[in-house]
Amino acid sequence: MQKIIEQEAEDFFKNSGEFLRNVGVDNVIFGYHDKELKVLLQRPFSLDKWTVTGGYIKRTESIEEAANRIAFSRTGLKDLFFQQFRSFGSPKRVADEEFTAKYLEEVLSVPVPADSWIFDYFVSVAFYTLTEFSKVQPKKGELEAACQWWPVSDLPPMMFDHAMIIAEALKALRLHIAHYPIGYELLEEKFTLPEIHSLYETILGKSLDDRNFAKRLMATGIIIKLNETKKIGAHRSPFLYKFDKEKYEEGSNTESFNLNILSLKP
Amino acid sequence: MQKIIEQEAEDFFKNSGEFLRNVGVDNVIFGYHDKELKVLLQRPFSLDKWTVTGGYIKRTESIEEAANRIAFSRTGLKDLFFQQFRSFGSPKRVADEEFTAKYLEEVLSVPVPADSWIFDYFVSVAFYTLTEFSKVQPKKGELEAACQWWPVSDLPPMMFDHAMIIAEALKALRLHIAHYPIGYELLEEKFTLPEIHSLYETILGKSLDDRNFAKRLMATGIIIKLNETKKIGAHRSPFLYKFDKEKYEEGSNTESFNLNILSLKP
DNA sequence: TGAATAGTGTCTTTAAGACAGTATATC
DNA sequence: GATATACTGTCTTAAAGACACTATTCA
């Protein structure tokens, strides 16, 4: 296990002033792969409980900058699409005695008082971030034992209230899907109709009529059909499509834009 | 001007531990009166700038409890309808030198260091609250010179980023209007069709066809027509209506509920 | 009886939803 | 030509939108 430098650690656990107290950022990073929506989770040393990515807020940065910095530190990617969706705060939300004890006993190379600010009541400003799964090489932090993708539909044991945070992030994502071209963030640049169809089915958790979906999708006017196909083996090759980001920005500005895809039935 | 007790004040400005650091709650309290949407604002001593109601979070309470406590302290009413809509946080958002200077010089009866936690970088978790205008007797706090209603369409000079916070609250309210019976919170128990019609026009900032509005409103099934009318002078007396709160709760739980009123065109 | 406001019905247009057959690629 | 997947067109149904007249109150 990699130890952090002692002086740095001591400063950190005293919070000599780099970070805000009692408030932090959690960032639920979503990716899509293999017809499954996935979320990037990390696990602290010595514990069999996972957390969403998150961290403290520097005095010199905004909460959005903090969320962006956290996403970058775990995915290596800049300027990902992210959205604030809710804040969580209650005296009980980070009470986890097992975590505190293990953290103190086993993980750290420096003495940390049990009443250190890091175990304090924290309000969490929560964001979700969308990223293309295939571009990400998850990178764990110094204080974590692991950082990896988990299917949203099959999560490991979660620490604190993080299972609820993921549930809320998913709810927000499902709402936003009607107003943002979510596919742009989660798919590769060129994608097929069946791929984006399946993405929407996965996120919404229900099946969507393929004919109506295609009709609606093309009606948005922000998708361009390319003159190429993708080879998929012993079957008809699907055409490739891409987003017309320019047209999207226009529509998005005038508020006339609506994917109208939320209401699609089965 | 009412001075706060010295020892209490000193404790407060040192923050001996009652409140969370670097994070607080702002609560945009809306009321409706005289065909105008109003917001409850307060003004600190010696300044000609106003703020939305807000405050610090006690270590013993959740952010929702803090928002509720703040609403109660200004309106005297309990259990009002409120919704969290966004959090704001950036190193610059509460930088207002005039405020800091005047506060230090003129307002307080105790010495406050210029680097006191209250002038620090604060993340604000923002809520809006709805209340029936006629029930409220605005009550100012000890550190304010005034607390009163202002029309949303004609605000006084606002401190910090509070004009933006109100704008965002209004945006959220307009979105929520399609899914919550906003009228229940803003109107008196019994109301007329023209009254609720005008409320929706005010909140959405556009005119709504009266025939279609009535049709849609009654189609929700959560409004009961009473066998009484309201005398309004030399004109036909409108019938009174009230919300069927029970039916609303049902519909609201099953997610089948939708006022569908957002899309009403002129 | 005139002035002001309350209240309601019908037709048109548009969008949602259901549904099934043809096309293409490979073996 | 068998099989697996891609692709698309039409009809039905429901909701949104436009529109104008009758009803009541009281000065």
Side-chain angles (χ1 to χ4, degrees):
Chain A
M1 159 190 159
Q2 189 184 343
K3 303 270 178 184
I4 47 183
I5 303 152
E6 292 214 1
Q7 185 53 51
E8 227 178 66
E10 266 193 53
D11 282 356
F12 177 76
F13 291 110
K14 274 191 306 196
N15 190 359
S16 43
E18 185 181 3
F19 298 106
L20 300 189
R21 304 269 304 245
N22 300 308
V23 59
V25 160
D26 281 317
N27 195 347
V28 182
I29 300 177
F30 286 117
Y32 174 76
H33 186 62
D34 216 5
K35 302 205 172 183
E36 263 189 334
L37 191 64
K38 311 211 186 237
V39 57
L40 197 58
L41 301 180
Q42 51 193 38
R43 184 171 63 78
F45 286 107
S46 313
L47 268 182
D48 190 27
K49 286 182 185 168
W50 295 73
T51 69
V52 301
T53 69
Y56 305 108
I57 301 162
K58 293 184 186 169
R59 295 191 161 272
T60 53
E61 70 186 0
S62 67
I63 52 179
E64 286 79 16
E65 285 162 348
N68 220 5
R69 176 172 53 76
I70 289 161
F72 175 71
S73 74
R74 292 290 168 267
T75 65
L77 301 176
K78 293 203 171 176
D79 297 322
L80 295 171
F81 174 86
F82 68 100
Q83 281 271 289
Q84 186 190 320
F85 63 93
R86 226 187 104 175
S87 294
F88 300 87
S90 120
K92 284 153 210 153
R93 66 173 287 270
V94 290
D96 188 308
E97 284 169 21
E98 188 192 354
F99 165 71
T100 311
K102 290 231 182 174
Y103 212 72
L104 293 172
E105 283 168 28
E106 305 178 20
V107 180
L108 302 165
S109 56
V110 294
V112 181
D115 62 352
S116 164
W117 68 292
I118 65 164
F119 303 120
D120 202 354
Y121 173 173
F122 259 79
V123 172
S124 158
V125 182
F127 294 79
Y128 72 78
T129 293
L130 302 181
T131 178
E132 187 189 319
F133 178 89
S134 62
K135 280 194 186 154
V136 176
Q137 286 287 346
K139 287 184 292 192
K140 68 175 199 64
E142 282 163 337
L143 296 174
E144 282 93 41
C147 180
Q148 67 176 73
W149 292 105
W150 285 87
V152 165
S153 57
D154 189 20
L155 296 173
M158 301 294 298
M159 201 146 64
F160 308 144
D161 53 359
H162 284 203
M164 197 243 282
I165 291 179
I166 292 174
E168 289 289 313
L170 196 53
K171 225 194 257 179
L173 174 60
R174 284 175 177 165
L175 264 173
H176 292 164
I177 206 172
H179 299 284
Y180 298 94
I182 300 293
Y184 183 83
E185 321 292 340
L186 289 170
L187 295 167
E188 301 190 38
E189 199 196 337
K190 296 176 181 181
F191 52 88
T192 69
L193 250 176
E195 279 166 1
I196 192 172
H197 181 207
S198 158
L199 167 68
Y200 273 83
E201 288 191 330
T202 301
I203 291 179
L204 294 174
K206 62 182 182 185
S207 62
L208 305 170
D209 184 274
D210 52 352
R211 291 154 290 190
N212 293 336
F213 178 83
K215 217 189 302 175
R216 220 72 81 74
L217 188 70
M218 298 315 292
T220 63
I222 58 163
I223 309 267
I224 299 169
K225 184 175 185 172
L226 302 174
N227 216 354
E228 313 167 48
T229 55
K230 182 172 181 176
K231 296 279 173 293
I232 54 158
H235 313 294
R236 176 171 176 180
S237 310
F239 280 92
L240 285 165
Y241 294 77
K242 66 172 189 178
F243 279 90
D244 186 338
K245 194 70 176 168
E246 265 183 42
K247 281 217 178 130
Y248 166 69
E249 311 272 342
E250 277 173 41
S252 169
N253 291 337
T254 59
E255 280 196 29
S256 66
F257 183 81
N258 195 339
L259 274 181
N260 273 336
I261 245 151
L262 248 191
S263 63
L264 271 177
K265 278 180 197 161
Chain B
M1 159 191 159
Q2 189 184 342
K3 302 273 179 182
I4 46 182
I5 303 154
E6 292 214 359
Q7 185 54 51
E8 228 178 65
E10 269 195 49
D11 282 355
F12 178 76
F13 291 111
K14 274 191 307 195
N15 189 0
S16 43
E18 186 181 3
F19 298 107
L20 300 190
R21 305 268 304 244
N22 300 310
V23 58
V25 159
D26 281 318
N27 195 346
V28 182
I29 300 176
F30 287 117
Y32 174 75
H33 186 62
D34 217 7
K35 301 203 174 185
E36 263 190 334
L37 191 64
K38 312 211 186 234
V39 57
L40 198 59
L41 301 180
Q42 50 194 39
R43 184 172 62 77
F45 286 107
S46 313
L47 269 181
D48 191 27
K49 286 181 184 168
W50 295 71
T51 68
V52 302
T53 69
Y56 306 107
I57 301 162
K58 293 184 187 170
R59 294 189 162 273
T60 53
E61 70 186 1
S62 68
I63 52 180
E64 287 78 18
E65 285 162 347
N68 219 5
R69 176 173 53 77
I70 290 161
F72 175 70
S73 75
R74 292 291 167 266
T75 65
L77 302 176
K78 293 203 171 176
D79 297 321
L80 295 171
F81 174 86
F82 68 100
Q83 280 269 289
Q84 185 189 317
F85 63 93
R86 224 186 106 175
S87 294
F88 300 87
S90 121
K92 285 154 209 150
R93 64 174 290 269
V94 291
D96 188 309
E97 284 170 20
E98 188 192 354
F99 166 71
T100 311
K102 290 233 182 173
Y103 212 74
L104 293 172
E105 282 167 28
E106 305 177 21
V107 178
L108 301 165
S109 57
V110 293
V112 181
D115 63 351
S116 165
W117 68 292
I118 65 164
F119 303 119
D120 202 352
Y121 173 174
F122 259 78
V123 172
S124 158
V125 181
F127 294 78
Y128 73 77
T129 293
L130 303 181
T131 178
E132 186 190 321
F133 178 90
S134 62
K135 280 194 187 155
V136 177
Q137 286 288 345
K139 286 183 293 191
K140 69 177 198 62
E142 282 163 337
L143 296 174
E144 282 92 42
C147 179
Q148 66 176 73
W149 292 105
W150 285 87
V152 165
S153 57
D154 189 20
L155 297 172
M158 300 293 298
M159 200 146 66
F160 309 143
D161 54 358
H162 284 203
M164 196 244 281
I165 291 179
I166 293 174
E168 288 290 313
L170 196 53
K171 223 193 259 180
L173 176 60
R174 283 174 177 163
L175 265 173
H176 292 163
I177 206 172
H179 300 283
Y180 298 95
I182 301 292
Y184 183 82
E185 320 292 342
L186 290 168
L187 295 167
E188 300 190 38
E189 198 197 336
K190 295 176 182 180
F191 53 88
T192 70
L193 250 175
E195 279 166 359
I196 192 171
H197 181 209
S198 159
L199 167 69
Y200 274 83
E201 289 191 330
T202 302
I203 291 180
L204 293 174
K206 63 181 182 185
S207 62
L208 305 170
D209 184 273
D210 51 353
R211 292 155 290 191
N212 292 337
F213 178 82
K215 218 189 301 174
R216 221 71 82 74
L217 189 69
M218 297 315 292
T220 62
I222 59 161
I223 309 268
I224 300 168
K225 185 176 185 173
L226 302 173
N227 215 354
E228 312 167 50
T229 56
K230 182 172 182 175
K231 296 279 173 293
I232 53 159
H235 313 295
R236 175 170 176 181
S237 309
F239 280 91
L240 286 165
Y241 294 77
K242 66 172 189 179
F243 279 90
D244 186 338
K245 195 71 176 169
E246 264 183 44
K247 280 216 179 129
Y248 165 68
E249 311 271 342
E250 275 173 43
S252 169
N253 291 337
T254 59
E255 280 194 29
S256 65
F257 183 81
N258 195 339
L259 273 181
N260 274 335
I261 244 152
L262 250 190
S263 63
L264 272 176
K265 277 180 197 162

